[in-house]
Amino acid sequence: MDGRPENPTRPADTTRPAFPTVESLPTVAEVLEFPSMREGRPKVVAGSAGLTRQVRWVHVSELPSIAPMLRGGELILTTGIALPSDDNSLARFVDELAGIGAAGIVVGLGPRFRDSVPQAMRAAAERHALPLAALQRTTRFVEVTEDVHWRILENRIDELRASEQIHQIFNELTVEGAEPADVLHQVVRMARRPAVLENLAHQVLVYDTAGQGADTVLDQWEARSRAVPTTARTAYDPRDGWLTSTVGARGQDWGRLVLMNVPAPSPRLTMLVERAASTLAVGRLLARDEETLALHTHRTLLSGLLSPKRTSAEIATEARAIGVPLDGRRLVPVVLTTRATLPGNALDRQALLRAAAGAATDALRDARLLALVGPVEDAVIGILLSLALGDDPQAAVERLAHRLHRDGPDSGYVVAVGDVVTSVSEVRGVLLAAMQVADAAARLGERRLYYRLPDLRLRGLLQLMRDDARLQTFAERELRPLLLHDEKHGTDLVRLLRTYLDSGRNKTAAAEAAHVSRAWMYERLARISAILGVDLDSDDVCTSLSVALMALDAMRD
């Protein structure tokens, strides 16, 4: 994927159904509304705050010591005929049921409790928010258990059907090579909630708002997301209602899928986000762009040069067969990419790939240069110039670059050049280095005819590493407390820290640059030091913070 936020407008998809809306387990409140239960005129006498508890099973019992035999989630039906008579024992009966996680108690009034449930039971139930209801008329308990159990089993069958549906749909998406935006669209269709795919720096890659306003869903996303930590590969945060699943494969995590507005993490929603995260991870591993036969031939050779599995002799033989000799030549690696691949550009990757490949082919033809040319990454074209030993490499590169920038320095193309080599076996290292230079240079503000590694400096290196999970983790570790403090209190301490470091750690100069008094600057720097738990007079600390701020800029670029 290209990393830019995507939220395409899509027509209604009638080929893949949404989830059934029935929840897997009924609540106590729902059970009390069943016709078989309504016949007894149920009245909640205590613990109404717990009426949303889910009922896993209905159990009829007259035993006062039934709690150890239960697993939790049971709704207990009893007449109380065998319950003890003293208040302490009655309260203990309720306490024990609450302790094992029972869903509630329903007491049939009659021979044991004629008019009402004892106050001791009501007080204990209220204390535990354990629903306690009284049936004021004779009720057939067997009909209640049949109705509830049938509902539970029917819903579990629905769960199995939903599971099969999820696996079928996402298997199809995987086989189809669906784009991340298509995967999120299906998640939203099935869950009816907004979904966001972000990277490890909490920046949005793709999103679908489920019909809500993008401003609402994505407002201050980075700060909000940073406040929801990842505690497990799939986790739920009840404060924000976020159900999240880590995205990655082969031990390399690169993002997180967030399903929003989830009141409780039901099994089917959990299965949905986990399966979607797997599809996104596999899609990233398997993504391939369409290309012409000529590009495919050249790409195969360039891939061979980048792979340690192919021998130099094999590649040289194959290249010579298509008219591009490599032996006894000066080989110059050139990489062509475009600033249009950065976030915010609407062009798709395949269009960028075709346009860049066409531009490179035309420029090589006009400059009368012999080369292998083909895609080496998404919207990145690799070029290996094959020059005679007497040719001037710099002149050849400049001719090529001028033709690529024929529309001026703002053409959108970025040209990176690696070191000149004379052996096929040396191409891999210099071509990989040129690809890294292009990746970093595409995010720098300045415009050059072409870039070499010495042009990048530290900011270029951090731009190059911006998607590296280790750099993202480093920046988060160094700055997270201060970022959270600014977000919570509406302060601007991160900017103040940047001003201080940019001023060479001269507090007087920093105060002048920030247009504040020295005393105010001293107080704020002391607060920053306390929040981060570091000594701002330490060279190592300030170097780390400077790099972390530059890394944050690179990741936000």
Side-chain angles (χ1 to χ4, degrees):
M1 55 186 295
D2 57 11
R4 68 182 187 278
E6 298 177 359
N7 184 28
T9 302
R10 301 174 182 277
D13 183 352
T14 59
T15 61
R16 290 178 172 134
F19 275 146
T21 57
V22 179
E23 292 295 334
S24 60
L25 296 174
T27 64
V28 175
E30 291 171 338
V31 170
L32 294 178
E33 294 296 326
F34 278 28
S36 55
M37 188 72 85
R38 294 299 300 166
E39 289 184 4
R41 293 173 56 195
K43 180 181 179 182
V44 178
V45 297
S48 58
L51 287 172
T52 56
R53 295 188 185 209
Q54 291 185 318
V55 177
R56 187 182 60 80
W57 207 246
V58 176
H59 195 79
V60 180
S61 175
E62 302 297 345
L63 296 177
S65 58
I66 186 63
M69 305 177 192
L70 304 177
R71 295 172 52 195
E74 295 90 353
L75 180 65
I76 304 300
L77 306 183
T78 182
T79 64
I81 195 69
L83 293 183
S85 57
D86 63 289
D87 288 348
N88 289 338
S89 297
L90 289 173
R92 185 165 55 252
F93 170 72
V94 176
D95 291 340
E96 290 176 351
L97 288 176
I100 60 93
I105 306 171
V106 177
V107 178
L109 301 180
R112 180 68 171 83
F113 305 123
R114 291 189 175 277
D115 300 317
S116 64
V117 178
Q119 174 61 28
M121 293 180 67
R122 284 184 285 163
E126 189 66 30
R127 185 169 63 253
H128 295 292
L130 180 68
L132 175 62
L135 296 175
Q136 303 174 73
R137 290 197 305 203
T138 301
T139 304
R140 295 181 179 87
F141 282 176
V142 66
E143 292 184 2
V144 174
T145 59
E146 285 178 350
D147 286 351
V148 177
H149 293 168
W150 176 254
R151 164 76 175 273
I152 292 172
L153 291 174
E154 189 177 50
N155 290 350
R156 286 182 177 172
I157 291 173
D158 286 342
E159 286 290 346
L160 291 175
R161 289 171 178 161
S163 174
E164 181 181 0
Q165 175 189 344
I166 291 172
H167 285 289
Q168 178 182 350
I169 287 174
F170 284 96
N171 281 341
E172 290 176 359
L173 290 173
T174 301
V175 171
E176 293 169 359
E179 291 291 321
D182 298 317
V183 176
L184 259 69
H185 174 64
Q186 190 57 47
V187 170
V188 167
R189 176 172 175 75
M190 300 182 80
R192 300 188 179 98
R193 292 170 173 84
V196 176
L197 176 64
E198 63 175 10
N199 65 15
L200 297 182
H202 307 287
Q203 295 164 335
V204 176
L205 301 176
V206 188
Y207 66 93
D208 192 313
T209 65
Q212 300 182 23
D215 291 344
T216 301
V217 173
L218 301 180
D219 182 46
Q220 299 182 33
W221 178 265
E222 185 177 329
R224 289 164 57 204
S225 176
R226 184 175 284 110
V228 180
T230 300
T231 57
R233 292 200 69 80
T234 299
Y236 176 69
D237 189 292
R239 297 170 303 172
D240 293 274
W242 282 17
L243 181 60
T244 64
S245 188
T246 301
V247 182
R250 297 178 179 173
Q252 296 294 322
D253 296 334
W254 53 266
R256 183 169 69 161
L257 177 61
V258 179
L259 186 63
M260 305 172 70
N261 302 341
V262 178
S266 68
R268 79 177 62 174
L269 286 180
T270 301
M271 183 189 309
L272 174 64
V273 297
E274 289 179 340
R275 192 66 180 84
S278 297
T279 300
L280 289 165
V282 172
R284 176 153 167 164
L285 289 174
L286 300 180
R288 294 291 184 270
D289 291 320
E290 295 179 358
E291 54 196 40
T292 66
L293 181 59
L295 281 178
H296 175 75
T297 303
H298 282 237
R299 176 177 184 163
T300 300
L301 289 172
L302 288 168
S303 297
L305 288 166
L306 292 172
S307 171
K309 297 179 180 180
R310 299 290 305 278
T311 68
S312 301
E314 289 176 345
I315 296 171
T317 300
E318 293 176 17
R320 187 166 54 250
I322 63 170
V324 184
L326 301 180
D327 288 328
R329 309 278 289 182
R330 304 185 80 174
L331 307 176
V332 185
V334 179
V335 172
L336 176 65
T337 186
T338 169
R339 290 185 171 86
T341 60
L342 298 181
N345 192 282
L347 293 176
D348 62 79
R349 290 179 300 170
Q350 291 189 15
L352 287 169
L353 182 68
R354 289 191 293 269
T361 301
D362 291 342
L364 288 166
R365 184 186 303 112
D366 292 346
R368 299 187 178 183
L369 292 171
L370 197 59
L372 293 176
V373 55
V376 289
E377 283 185 348
D378 286 349
V380 176
I381 298 299
I383 303 169
L384 183 63
L385 296 178
S386 175
L387 306 177
L389 294 178
D391 289 345
D392 182 357
Q394 182 172 341
V397 167
E398 289 181 356
R399 290 208 315 273
L400 175 62
H402 277 298
R403 283 163 176 78
L404 287 169
H405 293 304
R406 67 183 67 201
D407 294 328
D410 293 326
S411 63
Y413 287 119
V414 175
V415 181
V417 181
D419 293 336
V420 180
V421 296
T422 57
S423 170
V424 177
S425 62
E426 297 176 280
V427 169
R428 180 174 183 268
V430 294
L431 182 55
L432 285 173
M435 290 167 60
Q436 293 172 343
V437 170
D439 187 38
R443 296 174 181 270
L444 298 179
E446 62 176 337
R447 300 291 190 267
R448 290 179 177 236
L449 188 63
Y450 58 87
Y451 297 82
R452 293 186 182 274
L453 186 57
D455 300 326
L456 297 183
R457 308 294 179 185
L458 177 58
R459 286 190 180 276
L461 176 63
L462 295 176
Q463 289 282 1
L464 178 66
M465 298 177 63
R466 70 191 179 281
D467 292 326
D468 191 310
R470 292 168 297 183
L471 181 64
Q472 294 174 1
T473 301
F474 166 77
E476 281 290 302
R477 184 180 65 244
E478 292 290 315
L479 299 173
R480 178 184 174 89
L482 202 59
L483 290 166
L484 289 174
H485 184 278
D486 276 355
E487 176 61 24
K488 181 177 180 180
H489 299 285
T491 54
D492 200 11
L493 297 181
V494 171
R495 183 186 62 80
L496 198 65
L497 174 62
R498 189 191 305 275
T499 301
Y500 168 67
L501 295 174
D502 289 346
S503 300
R505 296 161 54 194
N506 184 312
K507 297 183 177 66
T508 301
E512 291 176 357
H515 305 291
V516 298
S517 68
R518 287 173 55 189
W520 189 91
M521 175 63 72
Y522 274 65
E523 189 274 334
R524 288 299 185 274
L525 290 175
R527 181 177 300 180
I528 291 172
S529 181
I531 292 170
L532 293 177
V534 298
D535 180 6
L536 291 181
D537 290 327
S538 166
D539 292 340
D540 287 345
V541 167
C542 290
T543 299
S544 292
L545 292 174
S546 294
V547 173
L549 286 169
M550 284 190 282
L552 187 66
D553 291 342
M555 288 181 284
R556 287 175 170 175
D557 192 3

